């Protein structure tokens, strides 16, 4: 396994020294995100998030399966993360690294355990048939802050996703193709977003948002806060690292809330734009003989 | 760069009239060209063909991200660890390490050799680069015994990654005229308000920018990376420099 | 079984009869295993954890991914200028009510491992032991809430026993809030040290602090809770950590005093001026 390339001493020293003067290598403010781009694919449930040079693709899919025996009334919802050699040569296929485990746990806690998706609505026939919704997260390029980008991609993909419509008549379950009936969106309860803080300095007194890869390699600790726009914390994870004053952490959480509201607005706007793009003018427009050609 | 240069693709035949023919000097082939006996010269990469009839030299100018060491290249290496006789250095991430003998420094003896810690940067020259062998580096001119500016890099500053083609353009003797890179001159000149900084450009696509003022380092680094990434021309480089300097002033 | 919060409002007593700011009984021992470099046994209520520390020693053959390593020179740990802290956690099958098999590759366990490793790496003076490794193995014998807190406390004690230089104790405990996130109830009381039942029903978080300071090493919250509640919960949690630190400190001092009494260690050379009791 090739080792992760480590930054040189000169770089490490400079990044820290510059941060102490409120200066970052790319000229951003400490609490400023890199330019964030969100786009949707032609298919439903494909979201592509670009955060500077970091790029994450999430794809949501659904299929009908048998529910777990201990939860007959719930559908199945899984998030699969993959950090392969495409992300960085230090990652190998089928060998989860610590980064990958922590990333998938964070997404799991943020999106799944916080109840963002109503899994009961995925149940079709109690104990026999249910929808299994799966989101695959592919990290295409890694330049730091995978967590925030992946979380946004997952939430965007799920909110964009439409599953085929179904009906139950006299014990017969019918799944309609998109041509027969317009697919329906998932029953979505709230949209959580992750905001990751990186700490620098002897006492962890410098808090920085959206760290790049080199900053991540130099940082002394990090804290990921997941919130939704209603001000509910879904998850906080400061897993060790240099101790940080409790008051500073509270400050971080309150700043995170404003960032989460920005993410939420961005996602709503992009979804509305996408809907507009797809809307060709309803049923009558589809019946017309003209086409784009 | 002038546009009249020929663009070639791998395997293409090169018009014999373009191949320089000097009466005395033997023909020298630079990177990207291969000689297939008896007399075929075939490009192995896509890029612009460069010919120099005076030196009887031809090569291909191309941009890539993977650095392949070749003899005489000035590079910026990073010490990985030390062994009994030499340092192991990395020239690029995920590649085989290069060796830098402990005694390949200016006036170094067994007792006075510089002690370098892992992670430190060294400005060095590739002294040996053979296929299937780890490249060898030196920080001293083998015949004169002078460092000529090579050696460990100390002092405040940071490294910025650029593409290999851009690093080559920066290293050209006349970077502004031939390479089309004027940002460094502009930053130090009137557009940048006379910023004081020094640079060390490595052929392996790494540029070290040093200055006592971290702001200057950040401006220079961003200017270089932006020029490289967006392939800016002279006029746009000038505008970029002005913009960056203004932004930094505003932050004070 | 939903928690009867109405009882709490009437009597201000929790299901197990504690008040809001009471810890459960914490019982701890150090030097439980004679063969180990450092060992400890810790009970927080019915959560029981055993810990064995080996090292700092020469790192063994590198295990592929496995136990969360931390503290070394990042990825290049082998050539690291710091000791690497490697934690492995075994959760016994009989530790909880429902007998579940926890594989070693379980993501939750991996996360716990990495959290404990990173938390201790913040306090241990790993830079004193280049090219070496500190192995911490934790065994969970019984679970009744506050698992992560118990793991961190046990690991801290075992590291103290092993005599690895460290800045201060890393003490951890949990804190919660009396009503679920749904009720936007401003009058909700914070709670200290959640047991399993409370952990299932109520929002809560795990805090670990360094020594007597207010500096937070670990902060893990896994349930939905209003932002406004966080401050109260965190304050109670940090306060609880200070209490836990006192308890841990007492355990260590008591053991030291007994060892001097029994003559296991001589109270003499260099220890004269030190206040062992």
């Amino acid at each position: 396994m090739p080792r992760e390339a480590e930054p040189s001493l000169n770089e490490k020293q400079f990044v820290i020294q510059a941060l102490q003067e409120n200066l970052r290598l790319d000229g951003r403010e400490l609490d400023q995100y890199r330019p964030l781009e969100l786009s949707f694919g032609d298919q439903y449930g494909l979201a592509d998030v670009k955060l500077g040079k970091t790029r994450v693709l999430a794809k949501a899919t659904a299929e009908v399966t048998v529910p777990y025996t201990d939860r007959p009334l719930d559908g199945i919802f899984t998030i699969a993360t993959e950090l392969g050699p495409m992300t960085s040569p230090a990652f190998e296929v089928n060998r989860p690294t610590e980064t990958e485990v922590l990333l998938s746990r964070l997404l799991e806690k943020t999106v799944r355990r916080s109840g963002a998706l109503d899994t009961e609505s995925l149940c079709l026939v109690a104990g026999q048939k249910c929808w299994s919704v799966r989101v695959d997260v592919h990290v295409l390029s890694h330049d730091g802050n995978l967590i925030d980008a992946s979380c946004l991609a997952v939430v965007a993909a799920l909110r964009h996703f439409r599953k085929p419509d179904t009906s139950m008549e006299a014990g017969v379950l019918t799944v309609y193709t998109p041509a027969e009936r317009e697919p329906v969106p998932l029953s979505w309860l709230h949209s959580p977003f992750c905001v990751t803080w990186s700490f620098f300095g002897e006492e962890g007194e410098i808090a920085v948002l959206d760290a790049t890869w080199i900053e991540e390699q130099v940082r002394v600790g990090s804290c990921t806060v997941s919130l939704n726009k209603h001000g509910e914390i879904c998850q906080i994870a400061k897993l060790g690292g240099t101790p940080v004053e409790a008051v500073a952490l509270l400050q971080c959480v309150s700043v995170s809330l404003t960032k989460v509201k920005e993410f939420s607005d961005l996602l709503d706007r992009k979804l509305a734009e996408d809907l507009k793009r797809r809307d060709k003018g309803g049923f009558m427009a589809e019946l017309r003989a003209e086409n784009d050609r | 760069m002038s546009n009249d240069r020929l663009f070639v693709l791998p395997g293409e035949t090169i018009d014999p009239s373009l191949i320089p023919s000097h009466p005395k000097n033997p023909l020298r082939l630079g990177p990207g060209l291969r000689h297939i006996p008896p007399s075929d010269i075939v490009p192995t990469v896509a890029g612009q063909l460069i010919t120099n009839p005076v030196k009887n030299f031809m090569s291909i100018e191309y941009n890539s991200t993977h650095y392949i060491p070749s003899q005489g290249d000035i590079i910026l290496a990073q010490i990985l660890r030390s062994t009994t006789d030499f340092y192991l250095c990395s020239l690029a991430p995920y590649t085989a390490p290069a060796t830098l003998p402990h005694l390949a420094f200016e006036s170094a003896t067994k007792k006075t050799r510089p002690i370098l810690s892992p992670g430190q940067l060294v400005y060095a020259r590739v002294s040996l680069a053979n296929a299937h062998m780890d490249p060898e580096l030196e920080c001293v001119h083998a015949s004169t015994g002078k460092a000529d500016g090579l050696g460990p890099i100390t002092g405040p500053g940071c490294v910025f990654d650029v593409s290999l083609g851009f690093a080559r353009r920066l290293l050209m003797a006349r970077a502004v005229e031939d390479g089309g890179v004027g940002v460094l001159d502009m930053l130090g000149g009137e557009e940048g308000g006379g910023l004081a900084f020094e640079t060390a450009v490595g052929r392996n696509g790494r540029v070290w920018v040093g200055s006592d003022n971290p702001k200057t380092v950040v401006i220079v680094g961003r200017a270089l990376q932006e020029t490289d990434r967006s392939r800016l021309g002279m006029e746009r480089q000038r505008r970029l420099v002005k913009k960056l300097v203004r932004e930094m002033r505003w932050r004070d | 079984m939903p928690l009867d919060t109405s009882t709490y409002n009437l009597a201000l007593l929790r299901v197990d009869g504690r008040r809001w700011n009471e810890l459960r009984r914490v019982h701890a021992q150090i030097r439980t295993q004679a063969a180990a470099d450092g060992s400890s046994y810790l009970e927080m209520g019915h959560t029981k954890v055993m810990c064995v520390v080996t090292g700092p020693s020469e790192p063994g053959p590198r295990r592929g991914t496995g136990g969360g390593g931390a503290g070394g020179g990042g990825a290049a740990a082998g050539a690291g200028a710091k000791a690497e802290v490697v934690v492995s956690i075994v959760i016994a099958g009989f530790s909880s009510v429902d007998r579940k098999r926890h594989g070693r590759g379980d993501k939750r366990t991996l996360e716990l491992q990495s959290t404990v490793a990173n938390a201790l790496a913040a306090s241990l003076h790993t830079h004193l032991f280049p090219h070496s490794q500190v192995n911490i193995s934790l065994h969970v014998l019984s679970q009744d809430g506050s698992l992560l807190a118990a793991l961190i406390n046990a690991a801290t004690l075992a590291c103290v026993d092993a005599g690895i230089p460290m800045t201060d104790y890393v003490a951890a405990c949990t804190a919660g809030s009396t009503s679920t996130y749904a009720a936007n109830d401003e009058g909700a009381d914070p709670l200290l040290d959640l047991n399993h039942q409370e952990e299932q029903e109520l929002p809560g978080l795990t805090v670990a602090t360094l020594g007597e300071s207010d500096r937070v090493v670990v902060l893990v919250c896994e349930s939905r809770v209003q932002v406004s509640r966080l401050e109260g919960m965190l304050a109670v949690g940090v306060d609880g950590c200070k209490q836990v630190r006192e308890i841990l400190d007492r355990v260590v001092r008591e053991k030291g005093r007994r060892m001097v009494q029994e003559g296991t260690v001589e109270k003499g050379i260099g220890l004269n001026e030190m206040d062992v009791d």
Side-chain angles (χ1 to χ4, degrees):
Chain A
M1 180 166 74
R3 266 215 245 112
E4 191 62 67
E6 238 192 292
S8 64
L9 278 183
N10 303 49
E11 285 169 275
K12 286 183 186 172
Q13 282 164 1
F14 183 79
V15 169
I16 294 168
Q17 187 205 348
L19 279 171
Q20 263 149 4
E21 300 183 22
N22 283 351
L23 201 65
R24 296 173 78 169
L25 281 192
D26 42 13
R28 273 183 292 156
E29 303 286 334
L30 297 191
D31 60 351
Q32 194 185 352
Y33 268 79
R34 284 170 283 179
L36 178 63
E37 277 176 53
L38 168 64
S39 56
F40 296 104
D42 285 336
Q43 284 172 307
Y44 283 122
L46 184 70
D48 180 356
V49 171
K50 283 185 211 151
L51 191 60
K53 281 189 205 156
T54 298
R55 188 171 176 198
V56 180
L57 192 84
K59 172 88 178 103
T61 47
E63 59 175 359
V64 179
T65 59
V66 183
Y68 293 128
T69 43
D70 53 339
R71 327 209 69 171
L73 294 177
D74 280 351
I76 299 170
F77 174 35
T78 45
I79 302 173
T81 39
E82 190 182 329
L83 292 180
M86 195 183 345
T87 314
S88 148
F91 294 118
E92 269 179 282
V93 183
N94 293 332
R95 235 210 227 172
T97 54
E98 196 181 326
T99 327
E100 182 172 348
V101 171
L102 294 184
L103 174 65
S104 73
R105 271 290 288 173
L106 268 171
L107 291 178
E108 184 103 359
K109 284 195 273 189
T110 305
V111 183
R112 209 165 80 102
R113 287 188 39 153
S114 73
L117 177 66
D118 178 17
T119 47
E120 279 177 29
S121 70
L122 298 178
C123 179
L124 296 170
V125 185
Q128 286 173 23
K129 287 275 177 286
C130 72
W131 282 110
S132 162
V133 176
R134 176 190 163 102
V135 190
D136 285 280
V137 182
H138 298 276
V139 178
L140 303 184
S141 155
H142 180 12
D143 188 28
N145 208 5
L146 286 186
I147 294 172
D148 297 8
S150 315
C151 182
L152 180 64
V154 169
V155 172
L158 283 166
R159 291 211 22 207
H160 186 247
F161 184 60
R162 302 280 186 275
K163 68 177 195 298
D165 200 3
T166 53
S167 74
M168 270 295 279
E169 259 173 59
V172 179
L173 178 75
T174 323
V175 179
Y176 297 100
T177 61
E180 288 167 339
R181 275 197 198 179
E182 193 64 19
V184 290
L186 299 169
S187 144
W188 192 250
L189 300 178
H190 70 113
S191 301
F193 298 98
C194 291
V195 176
T196 302
W197 291 86
S198 300
F199 299 106
F200 296 87
E202 278 292 301
E203 307 264 293
E205 69 275 3
I206 306 170
V208 169
L209 270 181
D210 188 27
T212 56
W213 176 225
I214 177 155
E215 285 168 339
E216 279 191 4
Q217 285 172 303
V218 176
R219 72 183 175 192
V220 294
S222 73
C223 177
T224 304
V225 186
S226 309
L227 293 150
N228 60 23
K229 65 174 178 191
H230 312 298
E232 283 169 344
I233 295 171
C234 300
Q235 172 277 126
I236 300 179
K238 183 187 185 304
L239 310 175
T242 297
V244 176
E245 286 291 337
V247 183
L249 279 178
L250 287 174
Q251 177 70 26
C252 287
V253 173
S254 63
V255 175
S256 307
L257 185 56
T258 58
K259 293 288 167 194
V260 164
K261 283 180 179 154
E262 285 171 27
F263 284 151
S264 191
D265 290 344
L266 174 85
L267 179 55
D268 287 346
R269 206 177 60 236
K270 290 282 179 184
L271 280 170
E273 272 173 27
D274 187 69
L275 201 65
K276 217 176 193 177
R277 185 170 63 89
R278 281 166 193 279
D279 188 14
K280 299 266 161 53
F283 189 59
M284 285 313 289
E286 274 176 39
L287 286 182
R288 273 186 301 185
E290 307 144 33
N291 54 23
D292 295 339
R293 262 182 290 157
Chain B
M1 266 183 264
S2 53
N3 290 323
D4 50 354
R5 285 188 195 152
L6 183 70
F7 186 85
V8 288
L9 291 170
E12 221 171 6
T13 36
I14 297 174
D15 193 345
S17 64
L18 288 168
I19 297 173
S21 51
H22 196 273
K24 285 191 211 124
N25 289 348
L27 180 67
R28 285 167 60 218
L29 295 183
L33 289 171
R34 186 164 173 237
H35 175 229
I36 296 175
S39 60
D40 285 346
I41 288 171
V42 184
T44 55
V45 286
Q48 285 172 317
L49 183 72
I50 293 174
T51 48
N52 188 332
V54 185
K55 289 183 184 164
N56 207 16
F57 171 77
M58 63 193 287
S59 72
I60 292 179
E61 180 74 29
Y62 64 101
N63 204 353
S64 72
T65 49
H66 178 73
Y67 175 68
I68 298 162
S70 75
Q71 200 168 351
D73 278 1
I74 304 284
I75 47 90
L76 208 53
Q78 184 178 334
I79 306 282
L80 291 175
R81 60 196 163 86
S82 172
T83 63
T84 47
D85 293 330
F86 45 81
Y87 293 108
L88 288 177
C89 316
S90 118
L91 304 186
Y94 317 114
T95 51
T99 58
L100 171 63
H102 282 168
L103 299 179
F105 294 90
E106 191 182 35
S107 61
T109 62
K110 279 239 153 103
K111 283 182 186 146
T112 60
R113 68 182 179 87
I115 310 286
L116 304 177
S117 47
Q120 199 159 0
L121 286 174
V122 182
Y123 202 34
R125 184 189 301 112
V126 178
S127 58
L128 192 68
N130 293 334
H132 318 302
M133 271 174 72
D134 285 351
E136 212 167 285
L137 310 178
E138 60 182 8
C139 286
V140 65
H141 204 282
S143 52
T144 62
K146 286 277 187 305
D148 294 335
L150 300 180
I153 288 186
T154 49
C158 193
V159 181
F160 296 88
D161 288 338
V162 293
S163 66
L164 296 185
F166 189 71
R168 220 161 24 227
R169 279 159 64 196
L170 277 172
L171 276 172
M172 282 178 185
R174 297 186 305 156
V176 182
E177 293 84 1
D178 293 344
V181 195
V183 266
L184 293 180
D185 289 357
M186 289 173 200
L187 285 161
E190 60 174 319
E191 286 92 345
L195 295 174
F197 61 91
E198 46 185 341
T199 54
V201 184
R203 274 252 160 140
N204 53 345
R206 314 195 78 194
V207 183
W208 177 80
V209 180
S211 169
D212 287 329
N213 186 355
K215 282 200 180 117
T216 310
V217 178
V218 171
I219 292 183
V220 176
R222 284 180 65 196
L224 286 174
Q225 286 184 322
E226 184 60 29
T227 307
D228 176 30
R229 199 167 48 90
S230 310
R231 298 194 176 80
L232 300 184
M234 270 305 186
E235 193 42 49
R236 288 179 65 196
Q237 288 178 29
R238 186 164 290 127
R239 254 182 282 156
L240 171 77
V241 166
K242 280 184 180 157
K243 190 184 113 217
L244 287 174
V245 171
R246 205 166 50 234
E247 263 176 32
M248 275 298 165
R249 290 255 165 75
W250 180 76
R251 283 173 63 127
D252 285 330
Chain C
M1 186 172 61
L3 188 69
D4 195 357
T5 39
S6 59
T7 359
Y8 178 80
N9 284 337
L10 287 174
L12 295 182
L13 289 176
R14 286 149 71 176
V15 272
D16 50 6
R18 283 182 290 153
R19 296 198 184 277
W20 67 272
N21 59 350
E22 273 180 284
L23 284 173
R24 289 175 289 176
R25 189 183 76 106
V26 179
H27 167 77
Q29 280 174 278
I30 59 172
R31 196 151 301 178
T32 48
Q33 259 85 1
D37 290 342
S39 53
S40 68
Y41 172 75
L42 180 106
E43 290 180 10
M44 287 176 86
H46 291 300
T47 303
K48 296 169 188 174
V49 178
M50 230 169 72
C51 179
V52 171
V53 171
T54 348
S57 56
E58 199 181 327
R62 282 203 61 74
R63 290 175 299 144
T65 52
K82 290 172 171 185
E84 194 188 5
V85 182
V86 177
V87 175
S88 66
I89 296 176
V90 178
I91 299 180
F94 51 81
S95 63
S96 59
V97 182
D98 46 338
R99 210 185 166 91
K100 236 189 274 173
R101 287 246 354 119
H102 290 276
R104 260 172 196 276
D106 183 19
K107 278 186 179 163
R108 180 165 163 262
T109 317
L110 288 177
E111 192 193 24
L112 285 175
Q113 285 177 352
S114 130
T115 309
V116 175
N118 283 315
L120 281 166
S123 175
L124 295 176
H125 290 188
T126 46
H127 59 275
L128 298 174
F129 308 100
H131 307 284
S132 47
Q133 193 174 354
V134 178
N135 270 305
I136 302 179
S137 53
L138 286 152
H139 291 254
V140 180
L141 306 179
S142 165
Q143 295 188 63
D144 184 24
S146 309
L147 178 63
L148 176 60
L151 290 170
I152 292 175
N153 292 335
T156 305
L157 279 180
C159 285
V160 170
D161 185 29
I164 306 170
M166 58 203 289
T167 317
D168 208 328
Y169 293 90
V170 182
C173 79
T174 51
S177 191
T178 45
S179 68
T180 52
Y181 69 88
N184 200 355
D185 175 8
E186 283 306 317
D189 265 346
L191 298 175
L192 183 61
D193 195 13
L194 306 181
N195 62 24
H196 180 68
Q197 198 187 351
E198 286 169 330
E199 218 167 50
Q200 294 291 320
E201 308 288 337
L202 304 173
L205 46 81
T206 304
V207 197
T209 58
L210 184 70
E212 280 167 322
S213 67
D214 278 349
R215 294 172 59 209
V216 178
V217 184
V218 175
L219 177 64
V220 178
C221 170
E222 301 192 330
S223 42
R224 252 169 100 180
V225 61
Q226 285 289 333
V227 164
S228 51
R229 300 263 182 78
L230 181 69
E231 193 174 345
M233 279 160 56
L234 192 57
V236 170
V238 169
D239 195 53
C241 289
K242 286 179 188 161
Q243 292 181 40
V244 172
R245 185 197 173 273
E246 285 303 307
I247 296 170
L248 299 185
D249 195 42
R250 225 178 298 143
V251 170
V252 172
R253 282 175 194 278
E254 177 64 22
K255 181 72 181 174
R257 203 172 53 81
R258 272 226 309 285
M259 280 163 69
V260 171
Q261 263 176 8
E262 290 165 1
T264 327
V265 274
E266 216 167 294
K267 183 172 181 175
I269 322 126
L271 281 171
N272 271 328
E273 301 85 49
M274 233 165 82
D275 177 25
V276 196
D277 39 35

